[in-house]
Amino acid sequence: LCIGFYMTGTLTIPNNISFVVGKPKIVARQNLLAILIVLPVTILCIRRWGLVGASLSMVVYSLFCYFYSMPRICSECIGMSARKWYFHILRIYCLIGATYGVAYIIMNLINDFRVYSLLIAYSISTVLLLIGSYYLIGDELRRTTARFYYSIRPGRI
């Protein structure tokens, strides 16, 4: 479910951009085809795996959008190659896997699923994800973040 929500989130801005630049047909056609292609897969997933299948359907829909509409949105609306967009998204997935995935593997290896152990693993992973995210953002956003930090730091008032 978390992966599905994240994937849907990565599609929100490109879809909105397609509306803003006057190409709503890309997303409209994407959703029409999704009804014909993704909906039957969703029904099968739900019948086979129940709630997990329903969560998986978000991933299936997002993957469909990634490969159907993102190349057109990237080239016709954003003005960049789809490969560059995919690479950016892949870097984020790798960072998520390197932080939360490694924590999950470690928790499985030591077989410790107590609440406080999971909380510690999650907290450490989140801090590492934030640190890694800082290095994935561009210089302009990094400068904006630094300006914001210095504007709210204690002792300025």
Side-chain angles (χ1 to χ4, degrees), residues 5-129:
F5 271 111
Y6 175 74
M7 293 174 81
T8 302
T10 62
L11 294 166
T12 302
I13 291 176
N15 286 349
N16 289 343
I17 289 173
S18 73
F19 288 117
V20 169
V21 300
K23 301 216 179 210
K25 289 182 181 180
I26 297 172
V27 177
R29 185 170 288 140
Q30 160 196 300
N31 289 328
L32 178 63
L33 288 174
I35 290 172
L36 301 173
I37 297 169
V38 177
L39 187 59
V41 174
T42 298
I43 292 168
L44 292 173
C45 287
I46 292 171
R47 286 184 54 87
R48 174 81 169 109
W49 295 297
L51 284 175
V52 174
S55 299
L56 185 60
S57 70
M58 288 181 71
V59 174
V60 171
Y61 172 74
S62 296
L63 285 172
F64 171 76
C65 295
Y66 276 11
F67 294 106
Y68 174 75
S69 61
M70 281 314 301
R72 276 190 69 195
I73 291 174
C74 285
S75 66
E76 296 177 26
C77 304
I78 301 174
M80 66 186 285
S81 71
R83 181 176 289 180
K84 186 175 180 181
W85 187 85
Y86 290 134
F87 179 71
H88 177 70
I89 296 298
L90 182 62
R91 289 182 345 161
I92 297 167
Y93 283 129
C94 289
L95 178 61
I96 292 168
T99 54
Y100 295 108
V102 169
Y104 177 76
I105 291 169
I106 290 170
M107 296 306 288
N108 271 321
L109 289 175
I110 63 175
N111 199 22
D112 185 8
F113 295 103
R114 293 174 287 191
V115 172
Y116 69 86
S117 299
L118 293 171
L119 183 62
I120 290 169
Y122 178 76
S123 300
I124 292 170
S125 296
T126 301
V127 168
L128 292 174
L129 181 77

